Structure formats: structure tokens, C-alpha cells
């Protein structure tokens, strides 16, 4: 008998002991994928949040047997114990945040987690043994002093860690923040021409690469004074609405567009940029060298450290997902939520559905409108 499947786009993930631990993009769902057999384990839902919640967490990391879910739209840092399967929330202070106030990067150092505020104006130093937080705000005050009229995010999800030092690219101007997790000291380094602003930074083992927040150049930086600029390809150079991530996949630099159907890659043989027809909704390199990427059809491609690849369809039976939520007294049929299925079995809240309708029932991955038309025929 046919079993209806629900695709689960991933927004954040981390690796631990042969598994990827993932957070769904459009659902309140924590789950794991076994990298040996591809089996999916539905683990939990963030307490106190609706089923149809998107981007609840800004980043996810693991310490010992505990998952750390940094806030994006939640008011707490959530800790999930992989052994006891229990949640523990650590409240954070209210602040004057930008956008959702998320923390889009998390780094573990000894018994501490450093949560990098992307829209929240602080680095949080979480003591993982005491569950207490210190707030490091001075770098953000310095950023705001340099850019008093800007309301954009401070940092996006891409950062670099080299031993105890973090390298974070400013979204507001042409500076890179170095932050020592051992001493808590920081330093700003001016990189690239005035007027630039960055949305990501990556390291290829020799040089740093900074991706532009809009239509500025991609910057190659040796960490000292030498800078090389790579102008964006013509189709992007005249548009300022794009932002670019930066990721080294072990062989070449990739710059996925945050809001465009194509991405840019560096050809290492001729040191030039090329455009590729693939949109990544997720592109991340783990500390152990594993690269995870997901495209619009929800397949998760995992490149191991020996460059072998595995493709995992990230979907579960709809009845299984429904039972999972019912066991937790959660329902997708609740108050102002609406569940509907596209050809890709996606879920949206009522507001999301109305926005979808206003766009002519066309999803960004639905280039010819066939999915939207099918939904309209079903519901009209």
C-alpha cells in the first residue's frame, strides 16, 4: 500500500558519533540521520513551541552527550540530553535585537559554549556545567559605533575556528573580528576596501575567503596584509539584494547564494569564479571534515572526509510524523495554523500559506508553477 511521505528540509545540523543531528526548517522537530543506513529517528520537539514553527534554532552543537540549540526565535538556550532524552532550558536576557535576534554560530571550548549573536548584540559564554551565561557585548558596541545608521545583522552563520581563536566577518563593514575563547580578548582587523561588508568567512587551510553581503567583491585574505579581490560574475554584480555564504568543501571554495537559485564556485586550476545551476538550502562543513549540503528536493548529500558521497532522502511517513506529535500532545491542526501538502509534501503555517497564495501559489523551487497549480486545484 502507498505510504505518503513528508519531506523535511533541514535548517541546522551537527555531527556526533556516526549520526547527523538535525533541526527541521519548517517544523518544530529534532531528529537524527544514521550515516550508515540512512535511518531517521524522530527525537523531540522544542518545549513550548508550536509544531509549525520555522527556524526555531540559529545553530546546533554537541558537548559530551548533550545537544546545544542556540536561540533563533526561542527565548532560551535549549539543551537536549541524548542519554536521558530530557530537555533543559537556559533563559537569556532580553535585548534590543535585529531581525529575530538569533545566534547563528556555536563553538565548544572545554566546558563552555560560545554562542555568536547574529541579531542578538552579544556573544554568550555558556558554562555547560553550571548552566550560567556571561554576556560579551563590547565587540557589538564597537560595531554599532562604526555603523550607527545600519540595522542589518551583525554576523551570519559562517565563521572560522583555528585552535582557540574565532574569525568572524562583520555584516556591517569591512572588518573581521578575532576572538580568543581562552582569554576572551578580541581584536578588529580591517580587510578589503571601504564600503565592503561580508556575509561569511571560510578558511581553505592557507587563506581566508570572505563572501560579500551584497554585490561587492569576494575577498581572498592571507590573514595579514595581502588581499586579492574577485569581482562577482556579471549576472550578480549589478544586484545588491543577494548575500553569499562561504564554505570550503575540502577541495574548492563554494559560495552558495542565500536567496538565489544559483551558486558560485572557485575553479582552483585557473583561479577564477564560475556559476553553477544549483540552489543549496544548507551547506556546512563540520569540524571533522564532513560536508553536508541540501538542495530544494530535500535530499541531503554527505561528503565524507575521504570525499566519498552518500545521498539521504530526508522524508518520513506522514502517519509516523502525525503519531510522533500526537504522543507529545501536539497538533498541526491548532488555532491559526493550517496544514497543506504540496507535491513535495511541505508544511506551512496560515501566514505562510497566505504569503504563498499572494505569490501566485509559486514556491521558489517551483519555477514553472506546477506545484502551486496542483495545490490550487486541490483546495479551490
Amino acid at each position: 500500500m502507498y505510504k505518503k511521505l513528508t519531506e523535511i528540509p533541514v535548517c541546522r545540523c551537527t555531527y556526533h558519533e556516526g549520526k547527523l543531528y538535525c533541526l527541521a526548517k519548517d517544523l518544530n522537530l529534532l531528529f537524527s540521520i544514521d550515516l550508515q543506513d540512512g535511518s531517521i529517528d524522530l527525537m523531540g520537539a522544542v518545549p513550548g513551541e508550536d509544531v509549525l514553527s520555522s527556524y526555531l534554532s540559529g545553530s546546533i552543537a554537541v558537548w559530551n552527550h548533550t545537544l546545544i540549540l542556540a536561540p533563533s526565535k526561542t527565548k532560551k538556550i535549549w539543551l537536549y540530553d541524548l542519554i536521558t532524552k530530557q530537555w533543559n532550558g537556559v533563559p537569556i536576557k532580553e535585548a534590543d535585537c535585529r531581525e529575530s535576534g538569533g545566534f547563528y554560530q556555536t563553538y565548544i571550548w572545554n566546558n563552555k559554549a560560545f554562542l555568536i549573536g547574529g541579531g542578538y548584540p552579544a556573544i554568550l559564554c555558556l558554562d555547560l556545567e553550571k548552566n550560567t551565561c556571561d554576556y560579551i557585548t563590547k565587540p557589538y558596541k564597537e560595531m554599532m559605533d562604526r555603523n550607527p545608521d545600519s540595522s542589518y545583522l551583525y554576523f551570519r552563520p559562517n565563521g572560522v575556528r583555528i585552535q582557540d581563536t574565532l574569525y568572524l566577518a562583520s555584516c556591517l563593514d569591512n572588518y573581521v573580528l578575532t576572538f580568543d575563547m581562552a582569554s576572551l580578548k578580541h581584536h578588529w582587523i580591517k580587510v578589503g576596501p571601504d564600503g565592503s561588508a561580508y556575509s561569511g568567512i571560510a578558511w581553505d587551510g592557507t587563506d581566508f575567503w570572505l563572501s560579500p553581503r551584497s554585490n561587492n567583491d569576494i575577498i581572498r585574505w592571507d590573514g595579514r596584509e595581502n588581499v586579492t579581490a574577485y569581482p562577482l560574475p556579471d549576472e550578480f554584480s549589478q544586484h545588491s539584494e543577494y548575500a553569499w555564504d562561504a564554505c570550503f568543501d575540502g577541495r574548492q571554495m563554494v559560495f552558495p547564494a542565500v536567496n538565489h537559485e544559483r551558486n558560485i564556485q572557485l575553479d582552483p586550476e585557473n583561479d577564477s569564479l564560475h556559476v553553477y545551476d544549483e540552489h543549496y538550502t544548507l551547506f556546512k562543513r563540520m569540524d571533522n571534515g564532513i560536508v553536508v549540503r541540501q538542495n530544494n528536493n530535500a535530499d541531503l548529500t554527505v561528503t565524507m572526509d575521504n570525499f566519498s558521497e552518500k545521498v539521504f532522502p530526508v522524508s518520513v511517513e506522514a502517519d509516523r510524523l502525525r503519531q510522533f506529535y500526537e504522543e507529545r500532545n501536539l497538533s498541526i491542526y491548532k488555532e491559526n495554523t493550517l496544514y497543506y501538502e504540496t507535491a513535495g509534501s511541505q508544511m506551512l503555517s496560515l501566514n505562510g500559506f497566505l504569503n504563498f497564495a499572494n505569490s501566485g501559489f509559486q514556491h521558489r523551487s517551483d519555477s514553472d508553477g506546477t506545484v502551486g497549480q496542483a495545490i490550487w486545484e486541490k483546495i479551490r
Side-chain angles (χ1 to χ4, degrees):
M1 187 171 103
Y2 171 74
K3 294 182 179 179
K4 190 176 294 184
L5 298 179
T6 297
E7 293 181 349
I8 307 177
V10 176
C11 72
R12 313 294 180 212
C13 65
T14 192
Y15 173 86
H16 181 61
E17 295 183 350
K19 293 184 178 181
L20 284 180
Y21 290 92
C22 306
L23 292 163
K25 181 170 74 73
D26 298 315
L27 290 172
N28 181 2
L29 179 65
L30 173 67
F31 65 98
S32 68
I33 303 173
D34 191 304
L35 296 186
Q36 289 297 317
D37 58 18
S39 60
I40 293 176
D41 179 24
L42 305 182
M43 299 167 57
V46 176
E49 302 291 343
D50 289 340
V51 172
L52 292 176
S53 299
S54 60
Y55 292 100
L56 280 177
S57 179
S59 58
I60 180 172
V62 62
W63 173 74
N64 291 344
H65 52 77
T66 300
L67 296 178
I68 303 159
L69 280 63
S72 176
K73 296 179 179 178
T74 62
K75 303 301 182 184
K76 296 180 180 180
I77 303 167
W78 283 103
L79 310 177
Y80 181 83
D81 192 305
L82 293 170
I83 297 176
T84 66
K85 305 186 186 304
Q86 297 296 311
W87 292 93
N88 180 30
V90 181
I92 62 172
K93 297 177 182 178
E94 291 189 7
D96 184 11
C97 297
R98 300 183 176 191
E99 296 189 10
S100 67
F103 296 82
Y104 304 126
Q105 303 176 47
T106 300
Y107 300 91
I108 307 299
W109 184 82
N110 291 345
N111 65 333
K112 292 181 171 60
F114 289 88
L115 286 65
I116 310 301
Y120 191 99
I123 296 173
L124 267 56
C125 177
L126 172 64
D127 188 311
L128 293 164
E129 294 177 342
K130 300 177 182 177
N131 284 354
T132 57
C133 272
D134 291 326
Y135 295 75
I136 301 167
T137 60
K138 188 175 180 181
Y140 293 81
K141 292 176 181 177
E142 293 167 346
M143 248 193 299
M144 288 185 278
D145 287 343
R146 292 198 308 265
N147 305 275
D149 298 325
S150 177
S151 59
Y152 199 77
L153 293 173
Y154 303 106
F155 300 109
R156 286 185 49 79
N158 301 120
V160 171
R161 175 181 182 171
I162 301 178
Q163 297 177 345
D164 295 338
T165 302
L166 304 180
Y167 294 80
L168 309 172
S170 168
C171 291
L172 305 184
D173 52 22
N174 58 330
Y175 279 82
V176 172
L177 176 71
T178 65
F179 179 79
D180 189 303
M181 293 183 287
S183 67
L184 305 184
K185 294 181 179 179
H186 75 278
H187 179 62
W188 289 102
I189 304 174
K190 191 173 184 178
V191 180
D194 290 338
S196 297
Y198 304 114
S199 62
I201 183 171
W203 188 54
D204 65 8
T206 302
D207 292 323
F208 295 91
W209 294 82
L210 293 106
S211 55
R213 200 193 81 191
S214 57
N215 58 347
N216 295 306
D217 296 339
I218 291 173
I219 297 295
R220 184 177 192 166
W221 173 49
D222 68 354
R224 295 177 293 276
E225 297 181 356
N226 295 323
V227 168
T228 303
Y230 294 76
L232 290 176
D234 290 341
E235 67 179 275
F236 302 114
S237 61
Q238 303 303 315
H239 301 275
S240 60
E241 68 269 26
Y242 304 132
W244 305 87
D245 289 336
C247 184
F248 180 63
D249 69 1
R251 288 176 286 196
Q252 64 180 354
M253 284 299 308
V254 181
F255 303 95
V258 176
N259 45 6
H260 195 278
E261 297 297 325
R262 310 178 82 187
N263 71 85
I264 298 173
Q265 298 180 21
L266 179 82
D267 186 337
E269 293 186 1
N270 57 22
D271 196 34
S272 61
L273 300 177
H274 295 272
V275 179
Y276 289 83
D277 290 323
E278 184 156 15
H279 178 256
Y280 296 116
T281 57
L282 173 72
F283 203 117
K284 180 178 180 179
R285 189 183 190 199
M286 309 293 177
D287 290 341
N288 61 355
I290 290 177
V291 176
V292 180
R293 62 188 190 274
Q294 188 173 42
N295 54 25
N296 281 333
N297 66 6
D299 286 346
L300 205 67
T301 301
V302 179
T303 305
M304 311 304 288
D305 53 2
N306 61 359
F307 299 116
S308 63
E309 288 191 350
K310 292 184 178 181
V311 179
F312 301 99
V314 187
S315 58
V316 297
E317 296 174 11
D319 288 343
R320 179 186 170 196
L321 190 62
R322 189 174 296 109
Q323 181 182 357
F324 168 83
Y325 286 120
E326 288 175 352
E327 290 173 350
R328 289 157 177 80
N329 296 316
L330 296 170
S331 174
I332 55 177
Y333 305 99
K334 180 182 177 183
E335 297 177 358
N336 68 336
T337 60
L338 168 70
Y339 165 69
Y340 77 92
E341 296 173 69
T342 70
S345 299
Q346 298 170 13
M347 294 184 179
L348 286 183
S349 67
L350 178 57
N351 285 339
F353 178 82
L354 293 175
N355 290 335
F356 188 69
N358 288 334
S359 69
F361 290 95
Q362 184 166 329
H363 189 266
R364 68 179 181 182
S365 61
D366 179 28
S367 58
D368 60 2
T370 55
V371 173
Q373 182 63 34
I375 300 168
W376 176 243
E377 293 296 330
K378 180 184 290 188
I379 66 174
R380 70 175 182 172

